[in-house]
Amino acid sequence: MPKVTVDGQEIEVPDGATVLQACELAGKEIPRFCYHERLSIAGNCRMCLVDMERAPKPVASCAMPAGEGMVIRTDTDRVKKAREGVMEFLLINHPLDCPICDQGGECDLQDQAMGYGFDSSRYEENKRAVEDKHMGPLISTTMTRCIHCTRCVRFATEVAGVPELGAIGRGENMEITTYLEKTLASELSANVIDLCPVGALTSKPYAFTARPWELNKTESVDVMDAVGSNIRVDARGSQVMRVLPRLNEDVNEEWISDKTRYAIDGLRRQRLDRPFIRGRDGKLAPASWDEAFATIAAKLKKAKPNAVAAITGDQCDAESMFALKTLFDKLGSASIDCRQDGAKIGGVRAGYLFNSTIAGIDEADALLIIGSNPRIEAAVLNARIRRNWLATRMPVGIVGPEMDLTYDAEQLGDDAATLAAILDGKSKFAAKLKRAKKPMIIIGMGALARADGAAMLGQAREIAEAYGVVNGDWNGFNVLHTAAARVAGLDLGLTPGRGGLDVAAMYKAADAGKLDLVWLQAADEIDAARFEKTFTVYQGHHGDAGAHVADVILPGAAYTEKDGIYLNTEGRVQYAARAAFPPGEAREDWTIIRALAGHMGINLGFDSLAELREEMFELAPHFAEQDEVKAARWAKFGSKTKIASAPVATAHETFYMTCPVSRASETMGQCLMALQADAARDAAE
């Protein structure tokens, strides 16, 4: 490791570090616009100039490797004058529109101008004007403000894997634009807004709605997929205004998907804000909480325990699921299921976790994907796979339909015979798995939610054991969930007990008239019509599929409106915090169940969130270990039954509308329509 001297301080820096990184290790702040630690080095802006011993002129520290014995100065008059000169050039054509710019208050150019700018400009000619570009319904462009740092271009090409941004022209005439004026077709596109150091790229849905100093900022967790991206929720009063990424190197780094960022406008639409009861006329009418509880209590008291069932949804917090399970245990019902899609998982913990962890993707040297499209189901996770592929050209094989994952992948087939060929070593990809030191398997809900999902899981396990996917400290067998609540539900035991019904059995019991009551806890990804003859209680925040057949509706809180614990696909325990309050008479979900139990004279054992969590930690102690992943012991799981010949599909066909919140989002609807319009235009051409 080389030793360098920065402003008289001698430090040791890692091999391959740049001068800029060396200065930061020494505690010196270096201004920059084009440099970003997760992007390739461009050296465009020249704002990071420093003095070096024996160098005839200041050097760009972002592009200069740190070498043994370097003497670096960051505080000389020459450095200050050079940075002031760069700032003056940057501001020549930059418009003086800070009062109306949405970047105001969060603008790197503003901040650096305070240190290196002038109170007036010597430039007297006309400033250039650049036409705004079309980048879709998410990104607002004011390209006259652009300083050509090319962060957006590098992100689209390197991280998102959708090279649809580029530059035309040279020098002052250079312009950043999209090719063919198309919508930026990436599930991560809006991250360019965070990357833009000026106000050239801003948020179109958020435009002119709020200033950063008006907002209350709350650290929370995303539930739009099972990655568990760390987010910051900015709210004004009771309204969530925006969602921004929060740094977590082990989960989402500093990126979030477009759905995570923009589906929040769905929180304001089609909300359930008061209890409803279906009357004799078949219509839902507003009711009081006491009336709703009395109706449910009367039905539960008449119903037989084996004729009462519950399904929990994909975005439920652990506390609400635990409260519901506790209630059903008291009622004597074993029919509760958190797998509303019918996934054949549960029991052995290693059989439903992303065992390598998300950060472990960086270590893999071969990847087999079965029944999953990570680009749609977990966009941020897919970006990490792409990064590994870019660095190592890791071989990737797909068992499932053809798909564009933003990296090269070999289509192996989409049927059971493909898996058998890999297991028997007859597939060409089998040799690549055999050569790999740390091979990885990702199996998704497209394979596990089939009727033969247990057999698919079992055969994937056999492949893992045959090719060293599980070897010593390395466990590369990974289940990629699509539901944020799924791992917590399985850990808490929300699967049918002895004599209990799973979702498929509930459908059959309802069809036969043998189900007296079904409780849907934010469960909307089901065939709700199957429960039309059954007394249905819907507890949730949106009037989606489950609410349409409900006899009683209990309005709950969305994920931004309550404190809750979520476990992501790797089993990482993460705590979400309330950023706003639920609308109207809606309540936090665990309090609804507690109130109903009290109405029925049932003691659940807790009266507060702290008491509930204490009870839950006794059942699952690892829930108390925030931001920790508890490794699972390898064991046998799945079955050896025959796999059907039906093609292996994926869980979602579209990225933008996968849950009640995103389906209620106007912005997600606009994104979907924009992509469909571009696809139609391409087809016509």
Side-chain angles (χ1 to χ4, degrees), residues 508-565:
K508 292 179 181 177
D511 292 341
K514 296 180 179 180
L515 199 61
D516 294 335
L517 181 146
V518 62
W519 190 298
L520 303 179
Q521 189 179 68
D524 294 286
E525 316 308 317
I526 58 171
D527 188 0
R530 301 283 292 274
F531 296 125
E532 284 184 350
K533 299 177 183 177
T534 304
F535 187 89
T536 304
V537 178
Y538 179 83
Q539 175 192 359
H541 42 80
H542 276 77
D544 212 312
H548 293 170
V549 298
D551 294 285
V552 178
I553 293 177
L554 306 175
Y559 69 104
T560 58
E561 299 160 358
K562 57 186 174 184
D563 296 323
I565 298 175

Side-chain angles (χ1 to χ4, degrees), residues 564-581:
I565 298 175
Y566 296 90
L567 273 65
N568 71 350
T569 192
E570 59 183 352
R572 184 180 300 275
V573 180
Q574 301 190 109
Y575 285 46
R578 182 174 62 199
F581 288 92

Side-chain angles (χ1 to χ4, degrees), residues 363-368 394-396 429 432-433 436 438-441:
E363 302 178 42
D365 51 3
L367 173 60
L368 175 64
M394 168 181 68
V396 180
F429 196 79
K432 298 176 182 178
L433 285 175
K438 290 187 175 182
M440 178 182 287
I441 292 175

Side-chain angles (χ1 to χ4, degrees), residues 287-370:
S288 67
W289 279 103
D290 286 339
E291 289 171 338
F293 289 152
T295 304
I296 298 169
K299 196 69 180 179
L300 284 172
K301 287 175 181 177
K302 293 179 182 177
K304 298 176 181 178
N306 60 359
V308 176
I311 305 172
T312 61
D314 292 348
Q315 297 181 340
C316 295
D317 56 289
E319 291 91 341
S320 65
M321 291 189 290
F322 177 77
L324 187 63
K325 180 178 176 9
T326 305
L327 174 63
F328 270 62
D329 287 345
K330 297 284 186 180
L331 294 172
S333 173
S335 301
I336 188 167
D337 203 344
C338 65
R339 306 162 300 180
Q340 62 173 335
D341 56 2
K344 306 301 186 291
I345 50 176
V348 177
R349 199 162 184 262
Y352 60 81
L353 287 185
F354 204 94
N355 291 285
S356 72
T357 72
I358 295 172
I361 293 172
D362 298 339
E363 302 178 42
D365 51 3
L367 173 60
L368 175 64
I369 300 174
I370 305 170

Side-chain angles (χ1 to χ4, degrees), residues 191 395 431 468 600:
N191 286 287
M600 297 179 65

Side-chain angles (χ1 to χ4, degrees), residues 100-102 140 145 202-211 236:
I100 63 163
C101 180
D102 265 338
S140 178
R145 301 171 185 157
T202 53
S203 173
K204 189 175 285 186
Y206 177 71
F208 310 122
T209 58
R211 290 295 191 182
R236 183 171 62 189

Side-chain angles (χ1 to χ4, degrees), residues 617-636:
F617 295 161
E618 287 185 13
L619 175 66
H622 61 285
F623 277 57
E625 300 172 8
Q626 188 173 356
D627 203 35
E628 295 293 328
V629 178
K630 183 182 178 183
R633 184 176 60 85
W634 189 254
K636 300 291 183 182

